[in-house]
């Protein structure tokens, strides 16, 4: 590892209160990547940037001697909710400039400063607001939305290199932002080791705790517009005509989402209250049992930079029916049923084709476990370290 450049990795996404990263996909990416990297860095070429006081969950004091604490000037607090963006684009570049590293790694394009005088790389999880602007400008100031996208584009175009989490994201970078292909490295994500078919006792305990019956349909994730959750309600209405006992479980950190009240209203207007269970956030140690108890995992998302939840479901032996869009085919094929996320009837038929044919369920369960085994965080970590070497050498 002696040829590894000295890299400072941005860990603010794991600090409580920093944006909403900690309980979302960005937080999981940073946490899992760093945990897999540390054993591969015996010479301590990696360090970690955090803001203010306090330890970084879940590492606690495990990063002692490797952390660089930067302080946010008090005057930035005058900007209220916008202070985090003021620090990102104005004070963070100055704080990082004197630090003795070959590269800085920002783990999300939403966290990278628009102007940096030192070499840096950025992980690009997706380009959803750039690809689907009409969905994400709703309820926002158009001027602020456009400014945010301009700042992101500037940060990405000025980076030494970009780390894309899928081939689809790489293609979006090339087609949407005109990033040269040689400045992009692809590092697919991994599956946490604890995600595997759960023992019967764990499944029974989960079902007792949440008053569930095994054999439900399951969705895990957010409820923002591109996730297409209202579409699932229409699919459920059609499924209930064929199988009145069908239950859909929605799990995720979504209760504070601005679209949550509208989702509740849709469920009530559709008369689906008895068929839909809103679990909200589910603890990490319950996820394997939650996935394992599902008859089918459903994922109708219109856009994914990678698509981790359906892959996690596969690792736990749950058959998957997912949208035939963006990166999902790349990640899940050939071990999932892919269906049109704009055709409720077709999606419902795809679900029934799995539920009604036990041999098909077993086949998909086995194929899914084999497919998920191809994705490990160690592989992601090694590919990321190789990207550091490649981009540091560009000069």
């Amino acid at each position: 590892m002696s040829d590894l450049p000295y890299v400072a990795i941005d860990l603010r996404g794991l600090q409580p209160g920093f944006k909403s990263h900690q309980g979302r996909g960005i937080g999981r990416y940073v946490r899992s990547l760093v945990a897999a990297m540390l054993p591969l860095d015996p010479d301590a070429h990696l360090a970690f940037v955090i803001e203010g006081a306090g330890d970084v969950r879940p590492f606690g004091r495990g990063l002692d001697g490797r952390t660089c604490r930067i302080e946010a000037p008090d005057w930035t607090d005058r900007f209220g909710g916008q202070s985090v963006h003021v620090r990102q684009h104005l004070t963070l570049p100055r704080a990082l400039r004197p630090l003795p590293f070959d590269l800085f790694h920002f783990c999300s394009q939403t966290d990278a400063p628009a102007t940096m005088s030192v070499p840096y790389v950025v992980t690009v999880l997706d380009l959803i607001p750039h690809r689907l602007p009409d969905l994400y400008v709703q309820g926002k100031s158009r001027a602020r939305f456009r400014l945010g996208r301009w700042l992101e584009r500037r940060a990405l175009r000025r980076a030494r290199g970009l780390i894309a989490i899928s081939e689809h994201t790489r293609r979006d970078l090339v087609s949407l932002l005109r990033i040269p292909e040689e400045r992009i490295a692809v590092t697919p994500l991994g599956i946490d080791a604890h995600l595997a078919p759960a023992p019967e006792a764990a499944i029974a305990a989960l079902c007792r705790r949440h008053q569930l019956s095994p054999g439900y349909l399951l969705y895990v994730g957010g409820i923002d517009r591109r996730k297409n959750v209202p579409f699932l309600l229409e699919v459920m209405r059609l499924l209930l005509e064929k199988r009145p006992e069908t239950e859909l479980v929605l799990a995720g950190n979504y209760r504070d989402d601005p679209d949550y009240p509208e989702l509740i209203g849709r469920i009530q207007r559709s008369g689906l209250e008895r068929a839909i269970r809103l679990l909200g956030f589910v603890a990490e140690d319950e996820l394997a049992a939650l996935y394992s108890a599902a008859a089918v995992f459903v994922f109708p998302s219109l856009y994914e930079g990678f698509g981790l939840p359906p892959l996690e479901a596969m690792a736990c032996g749950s058959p998957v029916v997912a949208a035939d869009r963006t990166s999902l085919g790349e990640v899940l094929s050939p071990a999932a049923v892919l269906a049109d996320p704009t055709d409720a009837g077709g999606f419902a038929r795809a679900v029934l084709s799995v539920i009604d044919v036990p041999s098909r369920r077993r086949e998909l369960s086995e194929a899914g476990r084999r497919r998920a085994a191809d994705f490990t965080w160690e592989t992601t970590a090694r590919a990321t370290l190789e990207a550091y070497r490649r981009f540091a050498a560009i000069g």
Side-chain angles (χ1 to χ4, degrees):
M1 299 295 292
S2 59
D3 62 333
L4 187 68
Y6 286 92
V7 181
I9 302 171
D10 179 18
L11 289 197
R12 292 172 299 154
L14 294 182
Q15 293 185 268
F18 181 80
K19 300 184 178 179
S20 58
H21 292 354
Q22 192 179 16
R24 299 175 68 88
I26 296 175
R28 174 168 290 192
Y29 166 72
V30 179
R31 182 176 66 250
S32 300
L33 177 66
V34 170
M37 276 181 163
L38 288 173
L40 303 177
D41 180 37
D43 299 323
H45 282 228
L46 303 180
F48 306 95
V49 173
I50 58 178
E51 188 175 69
D55 293 326
V56 176
R57 301 175 186 175
F59 300 104
R61 301 186 62 84
L63 302 182
D64 280 358
R66 292 190 180 216
T67 55
C68 300
R69 295 182 184 272
I70 57 175
E71 298 299 329
D74 292 339
W75 61 264
T76 61
D77 293 336
R78 290 180 293 180
F79 291 87
Q82 298 303 310
S83 62
V84 66
H85 303 295
V86 172
R87 294 197 297 271
Q88 175 179 332
H89 295 292
L90 295 182
T91 65
L92 180 63
R94 292 185 179 183
L96 298 181
R97 189 183 304 156
L99 299 182
F101 296 101
D102 301 310
L103 281 177
F104 291 86
H105 179 190
F106 296 100
C107 295
S108 167
Q109 70 271 22
T110 62
D111 300 336
T115 301
M116 282 272 289
S117 61
V118 293
Y120 65 97
V121 298
V122 184
T123 293
V124 182
L125 304 172
D126 58 62
L127 289 176
I128 295 166
H130 299 269
R131 177 63 76 182
L132 303 173
D134 291 342
L135 279 184
Y136 284 85
V137 75
Q138 296 177 29
K140 301 176 182 176
S141 158
R142 283 191 174 271
R144 182 176 295 176
F145 179 82
R146 289 173 178 169
L147 174 62
R149 305 292 75 73
W150 181 83
L151 291 170
E152 281 182 23
R153 288 194 298 272
R154 182 179 173 89
L156 295 179
R157 287 170 173 160
R158 294 170 65 90
R160 177 71 64 86
L162 303 178
I163 297 172
I165 62 172
S166 66
E167 285 292 337
H168 181 271
T169 298
R170 180 193 63 78
R171 290 193 296 270
D172 265 1
L173 283 167
V174 174
S175 63
L176 290 176
L177 302 189
R178 303 292 187 264
I179 303 294
E181 291 195 26
E182 62 270 19
R183 288 181 48 219
I184 307 171
V186 178
T187 64
L189 305 186
I191 296 294
D192 290 341
H194 73 278
L195 289 171
E200 290 297 328
I203 293 174
L206 171 95
C207 290
R208 283 195 304 272
R209 192 156 48 247
H210 294 286
Q211 298 181 322
L212 299 173
S213 297
Y216 47 76
L217 304 184
L218 175 64
Y219 168 83
V220 175
I223 59 170
D224 51 299
R225 294 177 179 91
R226 51 101 184 187
K227 293 293 189 178
N228 209 20
V229 173
F231 171 82
L232 270 185
L233 304 185
E234 178 61 19
V235 172
M236 272 297 292
R237 188 185 64 78
L238 297 174
L239 289 173
L240 289 169
E241 294 175 0
K242 302 283 187 180
R243 282 177 159 263
E245 73 282 7
T246 305
E247 185 176 49
L248 172 65
V249 174
L250 302 178
N253 191 21
Y254 53 68
R255 294 195 188 277
D256 293 330
D257 191 287
D259 290 328
Y260 184 62
E262 173 60 20
L263 175 63
I264 297 296
R266 283 178 179 269
I267 292 172
Q268 293 171 344
R269 291 192 297 272
S270 303
L272 296 174
E273 295 99 321
R274 294 186 179 181
I276 304 224
R277 289 292 311 280
L278 296 165
L279 290 193
F281 176 77
V282 174
E284 192 77 21
D285 59 3
E286 291 187 310
L287 276 178
L290 183 70
Y291 285 129
S292 299
V296 179
F297 183 86
V298 288
F299 202 71
S301 178
L302 297 171
Y303 189 112
E304 291 294 318
F306 184 80
L308 202 52
L311 193 64
E312 292 178 341
M314 284 181 167
C316 296
S318 178
V320 170
V321 176
D324 59 353
R325 293 291 191 275
T326 60
S327 64
L328 293 174
E330 169 191 339
V331 174
L332 306 177
S333 290
V337 176
L338 301 180
D340 185 347
T342 64
D343 176 6
F347 207 93
R349 288 191 294 274
V351 173
L352 288 172
S353 75
V354 179
I355 292 177
D356 291 341
V357 185
S359 60
R360 179 65 170 147
R361 285 184 58 195
R362 289 193 296 271
E363 175 188 321
L364 286 170
S365 176
E366 293 168 2
R369 291 178 62 188
R370 290 194 298 271
R371 179 62 177 162
D374 292 337
F375 297 86
T376 69
W377 284 111
E378 181 181 344
T379 301
T380 308
R382 290 187 182 278
T384 304
L385 295 176
E386 184 54 39
Y388 293 161
R389 294 186 183 94
R390 170 181 160 190
F391 295 134
I394 289 176

